Amino acid sequence: MSDFETLNPIVAEVGLRLGGVWVQPRKLAAAWTIAVGPGDGITVAIDKERDVLMLRVDVGFLNAAREAEFMKLMLTYNAAWEQTDGLRFAIDPLDGVAALHFPLPIAHADAETLTIVVQNLAERASIWADALESEGTPDAVLATDEGDDGVVFRA
């Protein structure tokens, strides 16, 4: 049985645990889209080389007037990977969208753990999406992590 066939019922259960949200399997891409969080939802893809599920959620485009400010903030956030359990930013080179990425070892990918990770990723992505759209101080997104167990992604 392939990793996709093994994980498909687990990812489907995540949708049920999240209140019946839409889960779109894409077998050829060995991936799923879970309709939570900002944008088109969270993509969960199998990375066989690293033996992880790679979760990605788009949080929006950088405001050109504040791009340097947000780039510095995102690099600071990436440097705190130990505090965020590996959550990090990337800018898609094709369309310029900022996205949060999180690797979850396939060995830890049971329905309960994956549900927690998806919920926390969606919450964190919403905070960043709001910050990218607002006129407020972007440093506020870092303040939300202090004392917040929602940044802990592993069960």
Side-chain angles (χ1 to χ4, degrees):
M1 186 179 291
S2 72
D3 285 342
F4 183 86
E5 291 164 336
T6 301
L7 292 165
N8 194 46
I10 293 170
V11 179
E13 185 177 335
V14 169
L16 295 174
R17 287 173 177 241
L18 294 173
V21 300
W22 178 73
V23 175
Q24 175 65 50
R26 294 176 292 152
K27 188 173 184 176
L28 292 177
W32 301 262
T33 300
I34 303 173
V36 294
D40 294 329
I42 295 175
T43 299
V44 179
I46 298 171
D47 182 340
K48 289 184 87 52
E49 289 180 19
R50 295 180 15 204
D51 203 28
V52 298
L53 290 178
M54 200 64 198
L55 288 82
R56 173 195 165 134
V57 60
D58 294 346
V59 295
F61 294 93
L62 299 181
N63 178 325
R66 301 173 69 195
E67 185 172 341
E69 184 179 18
F70 272 105
M71 291 295 282
K72 181 179 177 185
L73 186 63
M74 289 176 182
L75 289 171
T76 300
Y77 197 80
N78 282 356
W81 65 270
E82 289 177 317
Q83 289 82 14
T84 65
D85 283 334
L87 181 65
R88 63 185 180 274
F89 269 100
I91 305 293
D92 190 312
L94 298 178
D95 61 11
V97 70
L100 284 168
H101 293 257
F102 182 75
L104 177 67
I106 290 176
H108 299 166
D110 58 77
E112 181 179 353
T113 301
L114 187 55
T115 300
I116 291 167
V117 169
V118 167
Q119 286 173 319
N120 289 337
L121 184 58
E123 177 184 314
R124 188 68 42 216
S126 292
I127 291 168
W128 278 91
D130 289 347
L132 287 173
E133 291 177 5
S134 77
E135 296 296 320
T137 305
D139 290 334
V141 295
L142 294 181
T144 62
D145 289 342
E146 292 179 15
D148 177 7
D149 64 357
V151 78
V152 177
F153 280 82
R154 303 199 196 286

